[in-house]
Amino acid sequence: MKHLFIINPAAGKGKNLKLIPIIEEIFKNKEDKYFIEITKCAGHATEIAKSYSQKGDYRIYSVGGDGTLNEVLNGMVNSSSSLAVIPCGTGNDFIKSIYNFSKNYKIEDLLMKIINGKEKFIDLCTFNYRYFINIASVGFDAEVAYNAIKVKKFPCVGGMLAYIIGIIITVFKYNSYKLKINIDEKVLELDGLLAAIANGRYYGGGIFVAPKARIDDGLFSICAIEKVSRLKILALFPKVIKGTHEDIKEVSFYQGSKVRIESDKPVAFNIDGEITKGKIAEFKIIKNGIKIIYP
């Protein structure tokens, strides 16, 4: 078996590099071949994953945050390689859908469990012509994610704290959008606060937006929230964080394998933590589209 570790030194404020001697020690007495590559710029993880996966089958380890994971994913899709997640970023949201992950974990222990883990097929998702694996969203929370990315640049600000600060900033300048949402054969039209199209269950540093989402059922879990007052936004999000927002009247949940969203004006989309803007987006789920390593 061949192992490729793609390490983003910018994620986790540079702590990821301390894993290199640990990886070397683990493989010292193993016959398996391993390779360590360190990313140098945005998009480099995609290039590395693509280069290796075109040459053969690897276990490809994304060592960083959810942004690094998305880059690695987009480099290795349509190959026979398998994907492993070493959570070393500030959010580490996707792995929470496959592993009972806590803030008190020891990365060395988890690293060994993943190296010795089992492969399993899960669902793969597309946003227009790009792949993602966790959650895509449109509207308010995409704007929150954009603002959270900016505040993460400050010392000691990351994960949930950055997201909460992002909410506060966004509340005072956000306007709702007229959204037309097609879910398979169902059509919704709403003055929308946000819509989350979920494969995984968590985003934004631990926000439990899609409690019923499953990464291997061939369906998206869609959470749509209608426009509410600025004051109610501040009351609503603590429930979204805990995953107890189903009883709020402006919140609806749906399931489907294809979603198309049209907005009356350009709106922010958050795709596994990457922000883009547009008026039309199409989402599709590919059942059993990627192999992932379970610890």
Side-chain angles (χ1 to χ4, degrees):
M1 187 180 296
K2 294 180 288 187
H3 305 257
L4 169 64
F5 295 84
I6 301 178
I7 300 177
N8 177 3
K13 303 187 186 300
K15 295 179 182 178
N16 301 350
L17 296 176
K18 295 180 180 179
L19 288 178
I20 293 176
I22 298 172
I23 294 168
E24 292 172 340
E25 182 65 24
I26 290 172
F27 282 91
K28 185 170 65 176
N29 297 316
K30 286 180 175 285
E31 294 183 0
D32 293 7
K33 292 182 178 180
Y34 75 97
F35 305 85
I36 297 173
E37 296 280 0
I38 299 171
T39 64
K40 297 177 181 179
C41 58
H44 193 201
T46 299
E47 294 176 13
I48 296 169
K50 185 174 183 179
S51 175
Y52 276 82
S53 61
Q54 286 180 340
K55 298 174 186 175
D57 295 345
Y58 287 81
R59 282 193 168 187
I60 302 180
Y61 301 77
S62 170
V63 186
D66 291 321
T68 307
L69 173 60
N70 185 266
E71 285 196 15
V72 172
L73 172 75
N74 275 274
M76 61 176 288
V77 289
N78 300 318
S79 76
S80 297
S81 292
S82 54
L83 174 64
V85 185
I86 310 296
C88 296
T90 54
N92 303 318
D93 286 305
F94 175 71
I95 198 170
K96 297 181 181 77
S97 293
I98 65 171
Y99 181 73
N100 187 17
F101 177 76
S102 72
K103 293 182 179 179
N104 299 320
Y105 78 103
K106 290 184 178 180
I107 189 64
E108 298 88 348
D109 295 339
L110 183 55
L111 178 63
M112 181 63 78
K113 288 180 179 179
I114 292 175
I115 289 172
N116 294 322
K118 302 295 185 181
E119 296 178 350
K120 180 181 177 181
F121 278 99
I122 66 165
D123 300 333
L124 179 64
C125 315
T126 65
F127 162 74
N128 293 344
Y129 299 103
R130 185 173 176 83
Y131 294 94
F132 70 101
I133 198 171
N134 191 33
I135 295 178
S137 61
V138 55
F140 180 85
D141 63 331
E143 297 286 353
V144 169
Y146 175 77
N147 288 317
I149 289 169
K150 291 195 291 186
V151 301
K152 280 180 184 178
K153 296 177 182 178
F154 293 99
C156 302
V157 178
M160 184 69 73
L161 178 58
Y163 197 85
I164 290 171
I165 294 173
I167 290 172
I168 295 170
I169 294 171
T170 309
V171 160
F172 293 102
K173 63 177 185 178
Y174 183 78
N175 294 309
S176 63
Y177 293 83
K178 300 289 185 183
L179 299 177
K180 181 178 179 181
I181 306 176
N182 292 66
I183 303 171
D184 292 339
E185 304 302 321
K186 186 178 183 66
V187 180
L188 309 173
E189 293 193 17
L190 69 154
D191 195 0
L193 179 70
L194 69 86
I197 300 91
N199 187 36
R201 290 178 287 171
Y202 298 87
Y203 71 163
I207 310 299
F208 200 12
V209 69
K212 296 180 180 179
R214 297 293 180 267
I215 58 176
D216 57 0
D217 63 355
L219 295 169
F220 287 119
S221 178
I222 300 103
C223 174
I225 303 180
E226 297 178 26
K227 179 182 178 180
V228 297
S229 68
R230 284 177 167 80
L231 184 61
K232 190 161 186 177
I233 290 174
L234 295 175
L236 182 152
F237 265 85
K239 288 196 170 188
V240 178
I241 288 169
K242 296 177 183 178
T244 58
H245 49 300
E246 190 171 8
D247 59 343
I248 298 171
K249 70 176 184 178
E250 292 88 358
V251 176
S252 300
F253 284 93
Y254 307 91
Q255 284 188 315
S257 60
K258 295 180 181 180
V259 181
R260 176 183 171 91
I261 295 180
E262 299 177 31
S263 173
D264 61 331
K265 51 190 173 182
V267 61
F269 291 94
N270 173 15
I271 314 298
D272 280 356
E274 300 296 318
I275 309 299
T276 185
K277 287 202 171 187
K279 295 177 69 175
I280 298 175
E282 293 187 351
F283 305 89
K284 296 179 182 178
I285 201 155
I286 304 168
K287 186 171 177 58
N288 296 333
I290 190 88
K291 283 186 295 184
I292 200 157
I293 308 301
Y294 275 70

